[in-house]
Amino acid sequence: MINESYNFNGLSDDKKEHVYNVFKDSYEKSLGTSWSKDKFYSRAQNWLFFGDDNGFVAVRPQQSGLYKLVGVAGNVKSILDGLSELRSQNEPVWGMVSADIQKMAIKQGFKTPPSFLLKVLLKFIPSSVFGGADFDINSDGSLTLKYDDVGDAKKYFIGNEEYFKKLKSDILPSLKDKMSTLPLVVRKGIDLFLNEDDTKEKTINEELNKIKRIIKNL
């Protein structure tokens, strides 16, 4: 059993094969298809894994200092253990995940922006971040990503506390000119969401729902 984070390149050939099979089985069950072994090996060489022999979560460190969640596979307990271990690293993590993984991630401190705020935030994230895939934003806050190799996939944007702190302190200020063109009510909604820890969750949700209604009627 693997009890701490590990890099794919540091594994033996047999262990690499096992990790790929866990990934392949999970993605074929959820999407009906999976990456080829060659593609997985090529992508996974720069990934950091958290979990054990029965399942894992994998992240890819980005030049921006963010950790992008790039793979989740295996049994539920191993995934939850991996998410817990990842959380203990206190790194800013974000990703696009299926509904079942989103529910598990929320239990580990991740959250998903409301759909009306997501539409704004995604304007500032280059499509290359999603592998160049086109996407539609759905009313429930999910995205339908359109991949050339595995087809369409419905996923949810998630980020942990450290990610949204970095978004607030580093990323959004660098986009100050673009953000200033947004309606005041939208900017207020973003500010409320990013400052959720500073007030009661019920109050935040009430305010965000008010803003959502205002935006809908604009």
Side-chain angles (χ1 to χ4, degrees), residues 130-200:
F130 303 112
D134 292 329
F135 60 85
D136 296 323
I137 301 176
N138 306 312
S139 59
D140 64 350
S142 66
L143 280 76
T144 299
L145 293 162
K146 303 173 182 180
Y147 297 108
D148 292 335
D149 52 356
V150 295
D152 293 356
K154 184 177 180 180
K155 296 189 177 183
Y156 292 83
F157 185 99
I158 61 170
N160 64 358
E161 181 180 350
E162 288 74 19
Y163 169 80
F164 287 108
K165 284 181 179 178
K166 189 171 181 64
L167 182 68
K168 177 183 175 182
S169 65
D170 297 345
I171 299 174
L172 292 185
S174 69
L175 300 169
K176 184 177 180 180
D177 290 342
K178 291 183 178 180
M179 295 292 291
S180 65
T181 64
L182 297 175
L184 179 60
V185 68
V186 176
R187 281 180 277 152
K188 181 180 178 182
I190 293 173
D191 187 61
L192 280 170
F193 179 78
L194 294 178
N195 286 288
E196 184 173 352
D197 291 338
D198 298 334
T199 187
K200 293 182 179 179

Side-chain angles (χ1 to χ4, degrees), residues 17-35:
E17 180 85 15
H18 176 76
V19 170
Y20 171 70
N21 286 332
V22 171
F23 174 89
K24 180 175 181 290
D25 290 347
S26 287
Y27 278 73
E28 286 183 343
K29 288 178 181 177
S30 62
L31 298 177
T33 186
S34 176
W35 287 351

Side-chain angles (χ1 to χ4, degrees), residues 2 6-24 36-38 40-42 44-46 49 53 56:
I2 299 168
Y6 56 97
N7 185 281
F8 189 74
N9 280 346
L11 300 177
S12 66
D13 289 342
D14 287 345
K15 189 68 71 175
K16 288 179 180 178
E17 180 85 15
H18 176 76
V19 170
Y20 171 70
N21 286 332
V22 171
F23 174 89
K24 180 175 181 290
S36 67
K37 183 189 292 187
D38 287 344
F40 179 81
Y41 276 43
S42 173
Q45 61 180 326
N46 295 318
F49 290 76
D53 281 345
F56 60 80

